Amino acid sequence: MDPLVSTQWLADEIGASDLRIVDASAFLPEQKRNPALEYEACHIPGAVFMDLANLVDTTAPVPNTLPSAEKFASRMQSLGLGDGSRIVLYDDSPVKSATRAWFMLTMFGAQNVALLDGGIAKWKAEGRPCAQGRETLRHRHFTVWSDESHVRSKADVLRNLKDRREQVIDARGAGRFTGEQKETNPALASGHIPASRNVPYASLFRPDGTWKSADEIRALFDAAGVDLSRPLISSCGSGMTANVLIFALHLIGKDDVSLYDGSWSEWGADPATPKETGPQPAVQPA
């Protein structure tokens, strides 16, 4: 299964015994939308709902932190996602939350995970069927396993400021990156991690919500001054849209990319962390 599948591919595959479809919609508080209610009102037939808002480490000091392997496996089993499942994720979210679900599933050992290109919006625009209510599947075994080699902590990012082994990329919009747009949380400073490069996650999509081509994705990172020959750390506001950049890079064959899970929610709240404001330095011609 390719990492990105079309609505036609999914329509042809629905009903396969090993296929699991997952609605992984999640919204920011200011968007004032309820993903569970929207799922119950209309979802792709057979899809289960992955509650990302509660699939977190509730003991962590910052919001939206990755859960333990045990908690994740238990939740996947209850959804009917198990070892050997082919999993197709979609969302109807402005923050493209299915990429967060993709990152977690691959980190916690799922082997065959894809995103639906265009999400449920494209599915509905094509007049394809929706189901109502909640789907329940029988429990399946999901092995407890975790590979945290692609997760970075605040200490890792601080260390990286000195050795510069990895280049930091920031998925937030340009206004938040430069500091011209203030954070909605008044406890957070404005600006960005020093020496990071800005690739706004929304720039990776066409107007209809489908992903841009591999060549277009590569060109966006190049234009932002991202050195694709180096390992990267992806950051954002709260660890959500950073996964959009990670998935986009996966589409072009680059997988030495890590997630700064605390992102600006952690970095911006700490008075001791260094911060920069203003635009990133211009990219020098080769």
Side-chain angles (χ1 to χ4, degrees), residues 42-280:
C42 174
H43 60 263
I44 295 175
V48 294
F49 176 66
M50 183 184 289
D51 186 2
L52 290 177
N54 289 306
L55 199 52
V56 297
D57 179 359
T58 56
T59 67
V62 291
N64 205 36
T65 303
L66 291 164
S68 67
E70 292 78 12
K71 180 176 183 176
F72 188 82
S74 175
R75 295 291 177 86
M76 295 309 100
Q77 288 176 168
S78 67
L79 288 177
L81 310 183
D83 301 339
S85 296
R86 289 186 300 156
I87 301 171
V88 176
L89 303 159
Y90 72 84
D91 63 55
D92 193 25
S93 172
V95 293
K96 309 299 181 183
S97 53
T99 60
R100 173 74 173 187
W102 170 83
F103 182 87
M104 286 197 288
L105 279 160
T106 53
M107 171 184 165
F108 290 118
Q111 299 295 314
N112 214 348
V113 188
L115 260 59
L116 178 64
D117 198 13
I120 196 173
K122 188 171 190 291
W123 181 271
K124 291 192 290 187
E126 295 168 346
R128 301 185 188 274
C130 270
Q132 287 76 45
R134 279 188 172 266
E135 308 271 358
T136 56
L137 303 175
R138 67 177 180 86
H139 284 216
R140 291 177 58 87
H141 177 70
F142 192 101
T143 299
V144 177
W145 186 87
S146 177
D147 177 6
E148 298 185 8
S149 62
H150 291 288
V151 179
R152 296 291 180 267
S153 66
K154 182 172 68 175
D156 293 327
V157 179
L158 284 167
R159 190 179 308 112
N160 187 70
L161 289 178
K162 297 179 180 179
D163 59 36
R164 300 292 172 94
R165 292 182 180 177
E166 298 172 296
Q167 189 174 28
V168 178
I169 48 177
D170 192 319
R172 295 174 301 156
R176 291 178 68 192
F177 179 85
T178 62
E180 294 175 19
Q181 178 184 342
K182 300 302 181 184
E183 296 293 316
T184 56
N185 181 350
L188 300 181
S190 299
H192 56 266
I193 297 169
S196 56
R197 311 300 296 189
N198 186 211
V199 183
Y201 75 93
S203 67
L204 294 162
F205 299 92
R206 302 186 180 100
D208 66 354
T210 57
W211 290 81
K212 290 183 176 178
S213 70
D215 286 344
E216 289 172 314
I217 290 171
R218 192 173 285 106
L220 284 167
F221 282 94
D222 286 342
V226 178
D227 183 352
L228 293 174
S229 69
R230 294 175 60 189
L232 305 173
I233 299 172
S234 187
S235 180
C236 61
S238 62
M240 180 68 76
T241 58
N243 299 281
V244 178
L245 303 192
I246 297 173
F247 184 79
L249 291 161
H250 177 67
L251 290 176
I252 64 172
K254 182 169 179 61
D255 289 315
D256 55 343
V257 189
S258 299
L259 171 67
Y260 173 26
D261 197 33
S263 285
W264 199 253
S265 293
E266 181 177 46
W267 194 272
D270 185 349
T273 56
K275 303 163 187 75
E276 288 182 346
T277 55
Q280 59 191 8

